[in-house]
């Protein structure tokens, strides 16, 4: 029996969903008072759970379905085509199976690489983009397979842009939830923020070895993550009571979680909740994770509304670029220096 079942909720506990559903319809429509109401719900979810569902989010279901078909088509490509665009120093491209190890996790002592393969994309910058030409960190162009399946690139980029727009609206809502002006974070996310999508394929884990995961227990290093899932289960979330909960699939919703960057900005008053994946379903599992982050030059400093005598400053100011690169080096095998890789 694997960790999530060993330390999971009982059947009765599992049937009661502790993750709230936040309806964004009125907020996205700009109705009076809707921002304050949604911000209050968001504040509770962020302080108490660190995960929440969003409904009426404005991203068409047909676009979500196209993105999943595009992901499945990519992962069905011959291995030589996928390896021709192997993930680069900016973590863009194809990450082969067992290419990551959640070594920086403070949640669980992870010793084995993750059993998933992934395809990362970001802003679809042209090859002559000034930042691409200059080789600036976290500002690369996308890598696409030599013979991409029909509409794959179009569908992935369309999904990226739609969810990016939704994430920007959520950033403003998070500012309001922290008793800040809605535009508080705007400068940090301007000029092409470091937003990436990870199209993930988890093959079935026919034999569940000790400490072997599709995605080992970890917290995300994002500001926020917007997750799309199919009906194949596998995800588990560790609640504040220490037990693992299997979040049900709620049609028409995204599952959103907070990451370490937002936790840091909130002076550790918002939760970056541990989660992981074991695919013991006997089927291939696909998920699409959108990681929303500030631009590389943003300075992450605890917001003034969350610094008090009872909760003094928990983190010194840090450049997002430095935090991101440190996370990559700790968790992705292709990013490790030779001495680290041999350790």
């Amino acid at each position: 029996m694997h960790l999530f079942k060993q330390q999971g909720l009982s059947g009765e506990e599992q049937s009661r969903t502790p993750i709230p559903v936040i309806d964004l319809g009125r907020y996205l429509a700009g109705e009076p008072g809707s921002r304050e109401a949604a911000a209050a719900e968001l504040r509770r979810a962020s302080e108490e759970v660190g995960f929440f569902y969003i409904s009426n989010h404005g991203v068409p279901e047909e676009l979500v379905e196209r993105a999943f078909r595009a992901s499945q088509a990519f992962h069905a490509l011959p291995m030589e085509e996928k390896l021709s665009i192997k993930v680069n120093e900016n973590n863009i491209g194809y990450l082969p199976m067992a290419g990551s190890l959640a070594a920086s996790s403070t949640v669980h002592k992870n010793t084995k690489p993750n059993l998933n393969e992934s395809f990362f994309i970001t802003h679809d910058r042209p090859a002559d983009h000034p930042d691409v030409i200059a080789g600036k960190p976290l500002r690369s162009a996308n890598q696409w397979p030599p013979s991409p399946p029909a509409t794959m690139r179009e569908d992935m980029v369309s999904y990226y842009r739609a969810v990016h727009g939704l994430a920007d609206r959520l950033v403003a809502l998070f500012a309001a939830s922290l008793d800040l002006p809605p535009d508080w974070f705007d400068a940090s996310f301007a000029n092409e923020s470091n937003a990436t999508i990870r199209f993930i394929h988890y093959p079935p884990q026919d034999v569940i070895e000790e400490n072997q995961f599709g995605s080992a227990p970890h917290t995300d290093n994002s500001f926020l993550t917007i997750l799309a899932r199919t009906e194949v289960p596998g995800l588990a979330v560790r609640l504040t009571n220490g037990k693992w909960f299997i979040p049900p699939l709620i049609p028409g919703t995204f599952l959103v979680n907070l990451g370490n960057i937002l936790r840091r900005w909130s002076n550790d008053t918002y939760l970056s909740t541990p989660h992981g994946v074991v695919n013991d379903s006997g089927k291939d599992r696909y998920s699409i994770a959108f990681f929303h982050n500030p631009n590389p030059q943003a300075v992450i400093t605890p917001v003034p509304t969350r610094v008090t005598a009872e909760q003094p400053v928990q983190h010194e100011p840090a450049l997002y670029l430095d935090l991101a690169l440190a996370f990559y080096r700790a968790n992705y095998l292709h990013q490790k220096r030779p001495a680290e890789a041999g350790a």
Side-chain angles (χ1 to χ4, degrees):
M1 183 182 296
H2 59 75
L3 175 69
F4 303 151
K5 292 183 176 178
Q6 287 174 348
Q7 301 179 11
L9 299 175
S10 68
E12 182 182 350
E13 292 172 320
Q14 176 68 36
S15 66
R16 298 192 297 270
T17 303
I19 300 177
V21 179
I22 300 177
D23 188 332
L24 295 181
R26 294 181 62 243
Y27 166 66
L28 295 179
E31 294 184 15
S34 60
R35 183 171 64 206
E36 293 76 12
E41 291 186 73
L42 190 63
R43 183 183 305 113
R44 286 192 295 272
S46 300
E47 292 176 341
E48 298 174 8
V49 187
F51 268 79
F52 56 93
Y53 295 91
I54 51 174
S55 62
N56 292 316
H57 46 67
V59 178
E61 187 61 29
E62 185 267 340
L63 185 57
V64 179
E65 293 171 357
R66 281 166 47 199
F68 272 110
R69 289 197 296 269
S71 177
Q72 292 166 4
F74 172 83
H75 287 296
L77 287 171
M79 183 56 68
E80 59 268 23
E81 282 206 43
K82 292 188 286 189
L83 289 176
S84 72
I85 53 167
K86 196 170 180 179
V87 66
N88 61 22
E89 68 278 3
N90 294 300
N91 260 39
I92 299 301
Y94 173 64
L95 181 73
M97 192 72 65
S100 63
L101 171 66
S104 69
S105 175
T106 59
V107 180
H108 184 74
K109 182 62 176 177
N110 299 313
T111 58
K112 296 179 181 179
N114 294 316
L115 293 182
N116 72 69
E117 58 176 341
S118 302
F119 180 50
F120 291 86
I121 70 168
T122 184
H123 296 275
D124 205 25
R125 300 181 180 99
D128 60 355
H129 189 290
D131 289 352
V132 174
I133 293 173
K136 290 186 177 181
L138 308 186
R139 307 289 283 189
S140 70
N142 283 322
Q143 299 193 81
W144 299 103
S147 303
T151 76
M152 187 200 81
R153 178 173 179 171
E154 175 188 347
D155 292 342
M156 287 182 169
V157 171
S158 294
Y159 181 80
Y160 177 96
R161 290 172 176 162
V163 180
H164 193 288
L166 169 62
D168 281 340
R169 300 292 298 274
L170 286 174
V171 169
L173 196 59
F174 272 110
S177 79
L178 291 163
D179 299 312
L180 299 165
D183 62 354
W184 180 270
F185 294 114
D186 283 5
S188 296
F189 284 84
N191 188 27
E192 295 186 353
S193 60
N194 186 46
T196 60
I197 282 186
R198 184 175 186 173
F199 296 92
I200 316 171
H201 169 224
Y202 298 93
Q205 291 181 238
D206 298 324
V207 178
I208 308 299
E209 298 179 2
E210 184 179 356
N211 212 30
Q212 181 68 75
F213 301 89
S215 182
H218 67 284
T219 55
D220 287 350
N221 200 51
S222 57
F223 182 93
L224 64 87
T225 303
I226 300 176
L227 183 67
R229 300 178 293 155
T230 61
E231 71 282 355
V232 179
L235 176 68
V237 174
R238 196 180 75 178
L239 304 175
T240 54
N241 64 7
K243 293 188 176 182
W244 290 92
F245 171 71
I246 311 300
L249 186 69
I250 302 178
T253 68
F254 289 126
L255 188 59
V256 180
N257 65 279
L258 286 56
N260 300 336
I261 299 301
L262 180 52
R263 185 193 67 197
R264 190 182 187 105
W265 242 323
S266 75
N267 201 34
D268 288 355
T269 61
Y270 278 8
L271 301 177
S272 180
T273 298
H275 53 284
V277 173
V278 169
N279 183 14
D280 57 358
S281 68
K283 303 176 183 178
D284 289 288
R285 181 178 187 271
Y286 297 87
S287 65
I288 306 175
F290 178 94
F291 303 104
H292 205 44
N293 280 304
N295 62 58
Q297 299 308 310
V299 177
I300 316 301
T301 303
V303 299
T305 54
R306 290 294 169 132
V307 177
T308 63
E310 295 77 22
Q311 183 76 0
V313 171
Q314 300 295 302
H315 303 280
E316 293 300 314
L319 194 67
Y320 170 70
L321 174 63
D322 294 337
L323 296 173
L325 294 181
F327 180 81
Y328 288 168
R329 285 195 296 269
N331 295 282
Y332 291 96
L333 302 184
H334 69 282
Q335 296 278 7
K336 293 182 180 294
R337 300 184 180 96
E340 296 170 327

